Amino acid sequence: QVQLVESGGGLVQPGGSLRLSCAPSGSIGSIYAMGWYRQAPGKQRELVATITSGGNENYADSVKGRFTISRDNAKNTVHLQMNSLKPEDTAVYYCKMTTKVTRTWDYDYWGQGTQVTVSS
């Protein structure tokens, strides 16, 4: 099956920045939404940011003003620019792309996850 390939994670000091990127390894049909989620140890996976093909953005309150999501529809690529990082941002970050496979059913593709660690 087609996979979403993520890159850009790593270790950064508080206040630093990272840029995550994600793209599918092949065709996954018509994508109408892209997003980033994260999961910290012992925590539920949570929404970080989403963006539609039309460019409408949505952010979790915890990252609003610090993170920016962007996309290249032609390349089916989504990015997450993370600035002013805090230790509580430490998590595995997962890329998600949503497609419509029938008139009534959406299908989500997920990346393998990339580790982001914010520590001094």
Side-chain angles (χ1 to χ4, degrees), residues 1 11-12 25 29 34 37 43 48 51 53-54 57 67-68 70 76 79 82-83 88 95 98 100 102 108 110:
Q1 295 291 333
L11 174 65
V12 66
S25 62
M34 303 179 181
Y37 292 70
K43 301 291 186 179
V48 177
I51 188 168
S53 295
E57 303 165 31
F67 291 11
T68 303
S70 61
N76 287 338
H79 306 279
M82 304 184 292
N83 298 326
E88 49 263 47
C95 174
T98 300
K100 184 174 286 295
T102 74
D108 295 330
W110 290 90

Side-chain angles (χ1 to χ4, degrees), residues 16-36:
S17 298
L18 287 172
R19 183 174 177 85
L20 307 182
S21 298
C22 174
S25 62
S27 177
I28 59 173
S30 180
I31 305 168
Y32 66 83
M34 303 179 181
W36 291 92

Side-chain angles (χ1 to χ4, degrees), residues 30-100:
S30 180
I31 305 168
Y32 66 83
M34 303 179 181
W36 291 92
Y37 292 70
R38 67 187 182 187
Q39 187 167 21
K43 301 291 186 179
Q44 298 278 65
R45 188 172 298 185
E46 64 176 348
L47 170 71
V48 177
T50 60
I51 188 168
T52 68
S53 295
N56 295 317
E57 303 165 31
N58 183 51
Y59 298 93
D61 288 343
S62 59
V63 307
K64 187 176 181 181
R66 300 186 297 119
F67 291 11
T68 303
I69 190 170
S70 61
R71 84 285 179 270
D72 183 337
N73 289 337
K75 297 181 178 180
N76 287 338
T77 300
V78 63
H79 306 279
L80 185 68
Q81 179 67 45
M82 304 184 292
N83 298 326
S84 302
L85 283 161
K86 304 175 180 179
E88 49 263 47
D89 295 317
T90 296
V92 177
Y93 283 69
Y94 296 91
C95 174
K96 176 185 174 183
M97 297 187 180
T98 300
T99 64
K100 184 174 286 295

